[in-house]
Structures are given as structure tokens and as C-alpha cells.
Amino acid sequence: MNELTAFAFASVISLWGSLQLGVVNVNVIYATLFHHIRSALLMAIGGVLPELLYSWIAFEGVQFLQGNEKLFAILKVSAVPVLIGMGIYMYRQKPRTHSEPYSFSGSFFKGLVLALLNPQLITFWFAWILVAYNWIDFGTYVLISPKWAFIIGTAFGAFLMLLIFIWLASRYKRKVIEWMDKLKLNKIIGMLFILIAVVLLIEYLSKL
């Protein structure tokens, strides 16, 4: 089922990409550390909704360009340098270990606004959708369009990661941030992005 594959692909990429300490993640962790798990959950829900919007915009852009087969083929190849660029950016990015003063009220909208202020998600999902077209047939499905399964997966993966953060923060408190900083997750994620780009490049060259 292509829809299940699309959902799983987007969920894994979203979960994986959410490992780094971004502003939404840090605020959700801090909300949990101050014993406001309900607010942390509301903030997490608000924080993942823009994934739906930005991945949909990215999909619309890909499908608009899909009409030109030659251009679309070039764009699929262009996903390689984009992934490499994102990998280098994440590798060099310093984890954010600070948060704004916490407020119990407006948690949902705080998560929503913080996530909306990250429009680079459009570029992120644009590149990954191009990658997905190499392995998923978005025109064939049984129950639901793989496109919408993919879009839902982008939010599901991010929300699952935030739930993991909430659970870890509630269980291990402030050691969570120290642990994540020592692991250098941003460097690991960056290297994996670059590795996938190299694999894709090898696949493209083998088809020439």
C-alpha cells in the first residue's frame, strides 16, 4: 500500500528531523520540567500543525512542477545538494538550550506561532518529497491518497518525537538537555542527511 509507505516515510523523516533541539522542542521540554505536562502536550499539538501546512505547500509546488518531465527529473536530482546543504547546516548548528520565561496560558498558540516562524520547513519537505518520488508511487492507492498520508505523517512523526521528549523530561528532568547536548544529535542528524544524499547520487549516476 503506497499510502502506508508514504505515511511511514514521512513519519520517520519528521521524527528524525525533530531530534535536534529546536525552539519548539526546547519550550515543550521546559514546560514539562516545570510540571505542566498538560501545557506541554498542548504546545506540542500547536507545534506540529504547521508541519501539515508547510508539507502541503511543498507538495503543491512539487506537483505543479511535475507537469514538465525534464524539469521534474532535474529537480529530483537537485534534492541531493539540498540534502547536503541541510546536513551541513544541521551539523554546524549549535543546540538551543534556552527558553523564554514559561507561561501556563496560551501554550497551544505559543507552540503554533513558534513553529509557524520556521518556514524553512517548506524547503525541508520539498526536498524530501522529491526524494520520496523515487521510491513511492503517489498515483496508486487503496484507501487514501499517498499525498495526504505523507502530509499526515509529517505531523505524526514530529508529535511522536515531542511525546518522547515529554516522557523523558518528566522522568529524568533536567538531565535530558545535558544528555542531548553531549550526544551532539545535530551532528549525527546532519551526517545522516549527507549520507542519504550520497546514496541518492549514486542511484542517479547508476541510471545514466
Side-chain angles (χ1 to χ4, degrees):
M1 292 172 59
N2 285 308
E3 53 265 53
L4 183 59
T5 303
F7 176 80
F9 181 91
S11 296
V12 170
I13 295 301
S14 185
L15 186 148
W16 180 17
S18 299
L19 275 171
Q20 63 173 334
L21 280 178
V23 64
V24 174
N25 299 10
V26 170
N27 276 275
V28 167
I29 291 171
Y30 267 71
T32 306
L33 292 175
F34 285 108
H35 308 290
H36 298 308
I37 294 179
R38 178 172 173 271
S39 286
L41 287 170
L42 288 172
M43 192 180 298
I45 294 172
V48 301
L49 289 181
E51 296 277 357
L52 299 172
L53 172 64
Y54 288 147
S55 61
W56 174 78
I57 292 173
F59 240 117
E60 290 298 306
V62 170
Q63 291 184 328
F64 175 77
L65 296 169
Q66 197 176 5
N68 188 322
E69 293 184 5
K70 290 184 179 180
L71 178 60
F72 190 66
I74 293 172
L75 283 172
K76 287 202 290 185
V77 177
S78 72
V80 171
V82 172
L83 288 176
I84 291 174
M86 288 193 297
I88 294 173
Y89 172 79
M90 289 186 176
Y91 184 87
R92 299 182 63 181
Q93 187 179 39
K94 295 181 179 180
R96 300 176 185 177
T97 55
H98 63 278
S99 174
E100 297 174 10
Y102 176 73
S103 173
F104 185 82
S105 62
S107 297
F108 172 83
F109 293 102
K110 182 176 182 180
L112 181 65
V113 171
L114 288 175
L116 282 172
L117 293 175
N118 186 24
Q120 67 186 34
L121 280 172
I122 298 175
T123 304
F124 178 87
W125 285 119
F126 189 88
W128 281 110
I129 290 167
L130 289 173
V131 172
Y133 264 94
N134 289 280
W135 300 318
I136 301 171
D137 181 1
F138 283 93
T140 305
Y141 59 93
V142 178
L143 297 174
I144 182 176
S145 168
K147 169 185 173 180
W148 290 107
F150 187 102
I151 291 172
I152 294 170
T154 65
F156 176 80
F159 186 65
L160 181 59
M161 192 71 256
L162 288 174
L163 287 180
I164 293 172
F165 284 149
I166 290 171
W167 181 79
L168 288 173
S170 63
R171 186 176 179 86
Y172 299 105
K173 305 300 179 183
R174 297 184 184 276
K175 290 183 179 180
V176 173
I177 294 179
E178 296 175 8
W179 170 71
M180 292 183 67
D181 186 44
K182 288 179 181 178
L183 277 183
K184 304 296 181 184
L185 287 175
N186 60 305
K187 295 187 182 296
I188 296 173
I189 296 168
M191 290 300 295
L192 288 172
F193 272 37
I194 294 171
L195 178 61
I196 289 178
V198 171
V199 171
L200 283 172
L201 181 59
I202 292 172
E203 284 189 7
Y204 291 140
L205 292 176
S206 65
K207 293 176 181 178
L208 296 178

